[in-house]
Amino acid sequence: MGNLDGRIAIVSGSGRGIGREIALKLAAEGARVVVNDLDAEPAKETVAAIEAAGGTATTCVGSVTESGFGERFVQTAVDTYGGLDIIVNNAGYTWDSVIQKMTDEQWDAILDVHLKAPFQILRAAQPVISDLVKKARQAGEPVPCRKVVNISSLAGTGGNAGQANYSAAKAGLTGLTKTIAKEWGRYNVTANTVAFGLIKTRLTEAPADTGGTIDVAGKQIKVGVNPDLLAAMERMIPLGRGGAPAEAAGAVYLLCTPESDYVSGQTLVCGGGFDF
């Protein structure tokens, strides 16, 4: 028996890194998971790992910024598993520059993936959740506590040099989360944010050279942190190290459990003791 037996979850950006670990954790606790990634292979690999461990999962491949993606993502959960209980908005990447060098393209791309896409997914989920709640109440059945967890960052709570776009998007996500907590409380839905500090993923791990990049829709985006800067950042963390993706997933899981059913509209900082 898992803490999330019978629950249906969608997790964006769950083919790799933190998102993968979130999907694995939710599935290990009994949730049926819709795995999303920009690319098919990482999504399939996450599903295979879940199934190998005895869990249940399916894929919904594509960019969260694509027109109509929110509806397709939500509908995959409904068509495959018959409902929707947990929404984790995790997908994203960084595209950094100091403000005087940041282009409109950089600004728009990061706001789209980190703020507009979660908004669109939540907008698509509202009629589904409303209908499920209405049917339960008409049948005299209890309405389960559903969960929204939006992934933010300490850049969103305190800003970060070189990340005006990312910081603004993540700060905006906090406002969106608090609004959903107020609007959806009547459906017995909690909405919370997890703000990560330094978590060691492909986006933060120091590249072997200065040419570390990821491919986003055919565009090569430079990622990675200078090794000296990374070491300095870790020295500022009271626990003395960056977090592992599985530890980040644990913070998200906390807000998906029944034990957090009366926690809503909050931001949980997962940063090893470091905060702004």
Side-chain angles (χ1 to χ4, degrees):
M1 293 290 289
N3 240 350
L4 303 178
D5 279 353
R7 311 296 272 167
I8 300 161
I10 60 176
V11 184
S12 67
S14 47
R16 304 175 175 93
I18 295 171
R20 173 185 168 91
E21 294 298 328
I22 294 169
L24 290 171
K25 179 64 177 176
L26 298 185
E29 290 294 330
R32 291 166 287 177
V33 183
V34 179
V35 173
N36 158 257
D37 197 87
L38 188 64
D39 303 310
E41 283 309 308
K44 290 178 181 177
E45 288 170 6
T46 299
V47 169
I50 288 171
E51 292 178 341
T56 303
T58 191
T59 63
C60 181
V61 176
S63 171
V64 295
T65 63
E66 289 175 2
S67 176
F69 175 82
E71 288 78 8
R72 182 162 65 87
F73 197 21
V74 169
Q75 199 60 43
T76 299
V78 174
D79 291 345
T80 307
Y81 301 123
L84 179 60
D85 300 295
I86 297 169
I87 302 169
V88 181
N89 283 306
N90 166 79
Y93 61 97
T94 56
W95 192 0
D96 299 348
S97 184
V98 289
I99 195 164
Q100 67 270 25
K101 295 181 179 179
M102 184 172 290
T103 66
D104 287 352
E105 182 185 15
Q106 279 177 281
W107 176 269
D108 290 342
I110 297 303
L111 267 289
D112 281 351
V113 71
H114 288 285
L115 187 55
K116 187 176 181 180
F119 153 72
Q120 291 176 328
I121 290 167
L122 292 167
R123 182 178 62 186
Q126 191 280 336
V128 170
I129 290 173
S130 175
D131 186 57
L132 290 168
V133 170
K134 182 178 180 180
K135 287 178 179 177
R137 287 175 175 161
Q138 287 176 341
E141 299 171 351
V143 175
C145 184
R146 292 182 167 87
K147 310 283 186 167
V148 172
V149 183
N150 292 322
I151 304 306
S152 186
S153 163
L154 289 181
T157 62
N160 195 33
Q163 292 189 319
N165 51 1
Y166 183 69
S167 299
K170 291 304 191 183
L173 196 61
T174 299
L176 175 61
T177 303
K178 288 181 177 292
T179 298
I180 293 299
K182 291 178 169 62
E183 289 188 3
W184 290 11
R186 62 196 174 112
Y187 303 132
N188 199 23
V189 175
T190 68
N192 294 287
T193 304
V194 176
F196 293 133
L198 176 60
I199 306 296
K200 292 193 170 184
T201 70
R202 66 185 182 130
L203 300 184
T204 57
E205 288 273 272
D209 52 41
T210 57
T213 63
I214 59 171
D215 183 287
V216 179
K219 186 177 291 292
Q220 297 300 307
I221 306 296
K222 189 173 179 179
V223 297
V225 180
N226 176 281
D228 293 334
L229 178 58
L230 187 65
M233 291 167 65
E234 291 194 283
R235 286 194 295 270
M236 295 173 65
I237 299 170
L239 287 183
R241 60 178 178 82
E247 293 173 312
V252 175
Y253 166 68
L254 290 175
L255 294 173
C256 295
T257 64
E259 287 79 4
S260 65
D261 281 359
Y262 202 63
V263 178
S264 195
Q266 304 305 305
T267 296
L268 171 63
V269 173
C270 177
F274 181 80
D275 198 357
F276 285 108

